[in-house]
């Protein structure tokens, strides 16, 4: 790529198409690497949406029936580990949380906890085999705003939401939307706290303060560790890479329209990237998972792919513009 080198076989002596393909090769490799790194993050183990199972129908011949489980039971824990089921397709997702075969099963039944003994080799998956169940207790309260309806009602961090006005909040429902439907009306929220179901009454605000929501709580979804096999992981890697690149392209336009606050669209330089890498390494060391490192590597690769194609003279995108001008001019 030496500008003075026009010898046969050099970059400058190549036809316009050859030079354009050479310039595109770098960003294309960054795109491919991003797909692979995202895929590796899914294969190495990642936090997948999860929830607690509540049993609906139990076949008489099932292991669940043999240990004494009943319709309506909520499986809270087996031994000292909470029972969580992945919300992803079971064909492509495999939960990797360690189970405790034979450990006592803690069940929430009609508002009270019950302990059931299980066979020595029975895991949670064995107990749920052939059983029809729903998913509940997916949402946890992690923050309560001062002087909010939630604080007045006595909600606490760690509470898990079970029902609104007697209607069970399943994992595929939007809790915020359900609460907003009861704006300016008294609402009863059923929560799980310390192994018991508790009812609290409050009136969601129709016009809450900015950033607080109708009742003034911060919520997060439960998750469990899961892995994807190769081909589903590659598919998700491609989707995530494409979504991230389109997000990057939309970002300046969203900022200009005012859809994003200025602080949400800050550029990150080498020092900021070094700090991000350090945080990812620390997270991997603390959790024993490669997920943070693979995910950050994917994001950096996707960012490089789109950045190098920007129409700036020093970058590949700028040089592609010059080649386009050369083709249009014919010289």
């Amino acid at each position: 790529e030496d500008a003075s080198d026009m010898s046969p076989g050099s970059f400058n002596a190549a036809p316009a198409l050859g030079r354009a393909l050479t310039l595109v090769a770098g960003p294309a490799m960054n795109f491919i690497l991003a797909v692979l790194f995202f895929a590796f993050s899914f294969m190495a183990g990642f936090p997948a949406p999860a929830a607690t199972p509540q049993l609906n129908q139990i076949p008489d011949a099932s292991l669940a029936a043999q240990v004494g489980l009943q319709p309506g039971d909520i499986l809270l824990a087996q031994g000292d580990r909470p029972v969580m089921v992945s919300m992803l397709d079971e064909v492509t997702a495999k939960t990797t949380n360690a189970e405790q075969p034979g450990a006592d099963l803690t069940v929430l039944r009609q508002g009270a906890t019950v302990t059931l003994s299980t066979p020595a080799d029975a895991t949670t998956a064995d107990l749920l085999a052939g059983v029809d169940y729903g998913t509940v207790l997916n949402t946890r309260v992690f923050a309560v705003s001062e002087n909010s309806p939630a604080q007045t009602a006595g909600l606490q961090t760690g509470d898990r939401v079970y029902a609104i006005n007697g209607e069970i909040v399943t994992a595929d429902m939007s809790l915020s939307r359900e609460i907003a439907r009861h704006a300016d009306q008294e609402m009863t929220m059923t929560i799980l706290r310390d192994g018991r179901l508790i009812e609290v009454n409050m009136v969601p605000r129709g016009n809450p303060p900015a950033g607080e929501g109708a009742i003034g709580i911060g919520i997060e979804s439960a998750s469990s560790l899961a892995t994807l096999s190769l081909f589903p992981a590659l598919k998700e890697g491609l989707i995530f890479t494409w979504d991230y690149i389109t997000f990057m392209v939309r970002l300046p336009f969203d900022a200009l329209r005012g859809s994003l606050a200025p602080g949400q669209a800050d550029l990150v330089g080498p020092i900021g990237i070094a700090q991000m890498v350090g945080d990812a390494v620390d997270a991997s060391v603390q959790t024993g998972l490669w997920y943070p490192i693979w995910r950050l590597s994917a994001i950096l690769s996707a960012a490089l792919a789109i950045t190098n194609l920007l129409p700036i003279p020093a970058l590949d995108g700028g040089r592609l513009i010059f080649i386009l001008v050369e083709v249009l001019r014919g010289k």
Side-chain angles (χ1 to χ4, degrees), residues 28-201:
M29 192 63 201
N30 286 130
F31 180 88
I32 293 172
L33 280 176
V35 173
L36 292 176
F37 288 150
F38 272 123
F40 292 160
S41 74
F42 288 114
M43 296 172 65
F46 66 101
T52 302
Q54 181 171 23
L55 309 187
N56 296 325
Q57 295 181 351
I58 304 175
D60 293 336
S62 66
L63 179 61
Q66 294 174 25
V67 302
L69 287 169
Q70 301 176 9
D73 286 350
I74 301 174
L75 277 57
L76 295 181
Q78 187 176 23
D80 59 1
R81 293 196 173 96
V83 175
M84 303 295 289
V85 291
S86 174
M87 301 302 299
L88 298 178
D89 186 351
E90 292 182 356
V91 175
T92 58
K94 173 187 174 184
T95 56
T96 55
N97 282 342
E99 294 182 319
Q100 295 178 295
D104 287 343
L105 190 65
T106 303
V107 174
L108 186 64
R109 177 179 296 168
Q110 298 178 354
T113 54
V114 177
T115 301
L116 302 174
S117 298
T118 61
D121 58 348
T123 65
T124 303
D126 296 329
L127 294 169
L128 292 175
V131 175
D132 178 53
Y133 61 86
T135 49
V136 297
L137 300 172
N138 163 260
T139 306
R140 188 182 76 90
V141 177
F142 73 85
V144 179
S145 300
E146 292 288 336
N147 302 317
S148 65
Q151 186 186 54
T152 303
L155 277 182
Q156 301 176 11
T157 57
D159 289 344
R160 297 168 68 187
V161 180
Y162 176 69
I164 300 291
N165 282 354
E167 181 180 358
I168 297 176
V169 178
T170 59
D172 57 355
M173 292 170 59
S174 169
L175 179 61
S176 300
R177 191 177 300 118
E178 287 298 310
I179 293 174
R181 288 200 306 115
H182 301 88
D184 300 320
Q185 306 171 19
E186 187 172 70
M187 177 190 76
T188 300
M189 178 181 287
T190 306
I191 60 169
L192 177 70
R193 181 188 298 165
D194 299 328
R196 296 185 301 116
L197 290 178
I198 302 172
E199 291 187 348
V200 293
N201 297 316

Side-chain angles (χ1 to χ4, degrees), residues 19 49 181 205 248 253 291 294 330:
R19 282 177 284 144
R181 288 200 306 115
R205 300 168 293 194
M248 287 278 291
F253 300 100
Y291 169 82
W294 287 133

